[in-house]
Structure formats: C-alpha cells, structure tokens
C-alpha cells in the first residue's frame, strides 16, 4: 500500500478522531478535576449539597457538548478526502461512549492526584494509550500476541469501532469492549470519589 493510499483510509481518519475524543477528554478532565480540588472549587460545589452524581453528570454533559460536534465536523471534512460510508447513529454512540469512559478515567485520576501529578501522568498515559495501540492501523496488522495486548488499551476499542462506523458497519465486539471500559472506569471513579469524601 502506498503512502498516498494509506493516508486516504478510514483507519487514519478513525485514528485522528480517537486522538481527539480520547486525549482531549482524558487529559482535560484529569487536569481540570485536579485543579478544582487544589483551588477549593470542588469543595464549594460539594458544600452546596448538590449530589455528586449530578456534578459529575453536568461535567460529562459539558464535555460531550464540546467534543461530539467537533468530531462530527472532522468526519464531514474527512468525507471529502477519504472514501467512507458513514453509519451515523453508531458513530455518535461511539463518540459518546468513548468520551464518557475517557472522562471517568481522567476524573478518577484528578480526584486522587496532585495538580502536578495529574498534569504529567495524564499526558504520559494519554499519549501512550494513543500511540501504543492500533489507532492509525488495523488491529489485524499486529502479531497475535500484540493484538491481544492492545485490547487492554482503551483507545483500541474506540479506533477500531470508528473504522467500522466509517465503513457503514458496527462491530459488536468493540461495542462490548467499550462497555467494559465504561464499567471499569465508573468503578474507578466511584473508588476515587470515595477517597475524597
């Protein structure tokens, strides 16, 4: 496959969207949450007796409102460069689910670390997840042991499901894997929230 052919593939567009969805959400939520804790903003929110789930839901809603429209714009722009057949409902579902568990992972980190640690660790983990997973290439291009190992990284499921969505398909395996990541992220968030109570 030539460079020109590979650059004009659904996988490259999916990788770009994955970087935007995962990195933007994960790094932003980790750093913002840590700063809110450090500055006392989190305490002020909790002192008002606002239920914690409502505070978290408002942050998730805000993050999705900022992430999903821009990701849709990237898809529409990419449509002129890459031959794709978009399946919109599953694509929006992938955006939302991927952003939600990225947010919960980042928030859990921000609740349990200092501002400096959250800033450094979110950058290191975010970029590691993005580049050491098959985000810009097909998972099938990896040797089998690495393929199985890559399923541990949260960006793999997002990228591979986005490729399916951009090709007009849905992959039940990657949707289920994203639901598992969401559940694990939610549990990590609840544990982290309990530690700051």
């Amino acid at each position: 496959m030539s460079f020109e052919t590979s650059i004009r593939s659904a996988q490259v567009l999916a990788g770009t969207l994955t970087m935007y969805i995962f990195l933007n959400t994960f790094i932003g939520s980790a750093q913002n949450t840590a700063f809110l804790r450090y500055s006392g903003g989190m305490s002020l929110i909790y002192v008002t007796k606002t239920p914690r789930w409502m505070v978290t839901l408002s942050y998730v809603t805000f993050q999705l409102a900022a992430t999903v429209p821009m990701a849709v714009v990237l898809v529409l722009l990419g449509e002129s460069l890459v031959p794709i057949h978009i399946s919109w409902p599953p694509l929006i579902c992938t955006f939302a689910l991927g952003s939600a568990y990225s947010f919960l992972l980042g928030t859990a980190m921000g609740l349990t670390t200092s501002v400096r640690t959250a800033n450094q660790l979110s950058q290191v983990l975010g970029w590691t997840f993005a580049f050491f997973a098959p985000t810009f290439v097909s998972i099938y291009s990896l040797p089998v042991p690495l393929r199985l190992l890559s399923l541990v990284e949260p960006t793999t499921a997002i990228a591979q499901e986005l490729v399916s969505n951009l090709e007009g398909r849905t992959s039940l395996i990657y949707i289920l894997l994203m639901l598992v990541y969401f559940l694990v992220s939610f549990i990590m968030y609840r544990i982290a929230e309990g530690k700051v109570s």
Side-chain angles (χ1 to χ4, degrees):
M1 179 185 290
S2 70
F3 178 73
E4 184 180 354
T5 306
S6 65
I7 205 73
R8 292 177 177 268
S9 71
Q11 188 70 52
V12 172
L13 180 57
T16 304
L17 290 167
T18 301
M19 298 280 284
Y20 181 76
I21 291 169
F22 186 83
L23 281 179
N24 182 46
T25 308
F26 177 70
I27 293 172
S29 59
Q31 294 178 359
N32 290 337
T33 303
F35 181 75
L36 275 174
R37 275 186 53 245
Y38 172 77
S39 67
M42 193 73 73
S43 298
L44 288 174
I45 292 170
Y46 291 153
V47 165
T48 64
K49 303 294 184 195
T50 303
R52 291 184 180 206
W53 67 266
M54 193 176 289
V55 173
T56 304
L57 182 63
S58 68
Y59 280 131
V60 168
T61 305
F62 172 77
Q63 198 68 42
L64 289 175
T67 302
V68 172
M70 186 51 123
V72 170
V73 168
L74 287 172
V75 170
L76 293 174
L77 290 174
E79 200 172 17
S80 63
L81 299 171
V82 179
I84 52 178
H85 307 284
I86 304 166
S87 180
W88 281 105
L91 186 68
I92 297 297
C93 179
T94 303
F95 288 164
L97 194 53
S99 293
Y101 74 71
S102 302
F103 174 82
L104 289 171
L105 281 173
T107 302
M109 179 185 293
L111 286 172
T112 55
T113 59
S114 67
V115 175
R116 180 179 176 149
T117 303
N119 286 346
Q120 293 174 345
L121 196 56
S122 64
Q123 292 281 347
V124 169
L125 285 177
W127 288 102
T128 299
F129 287 148
F131 280 109
F132 289 103
T135 50
F136 289 98
V137 296
S138 170
I139 192 169
Y140 299 106
S141 66
L142 300 175
V144 175
L146 289 179
R147 194 180 305 169
L148 295 174
L149 188 61
S150 75
L151 293 175
V152 176
E153 297 202 41
T155 52
T156 300
I158 297 172
Q160 299 306 311
E161 180 57 22
L162 282 173
V163 170
S164 295
N165 300 156
L166 293 172
E167 293 176 347
R169 299 177 289 113
T170 301
S171 173
L172 186 59
I173 293 170
Y174 295 119
I175 289 175
L176 290 174
L177 191 56
M178 285 195 297
L179 289 172
V180 168
Y181 282 128
F182 179 80
L183 182 61
V184 169
S185 301
F186 182 74
I187 291 168
M188 290 174 68
Y189 163 75
R190 294 292 292 167
I191 292 169
E193 186 186 42
K195 288 184 177 180
V196 295
S197 296

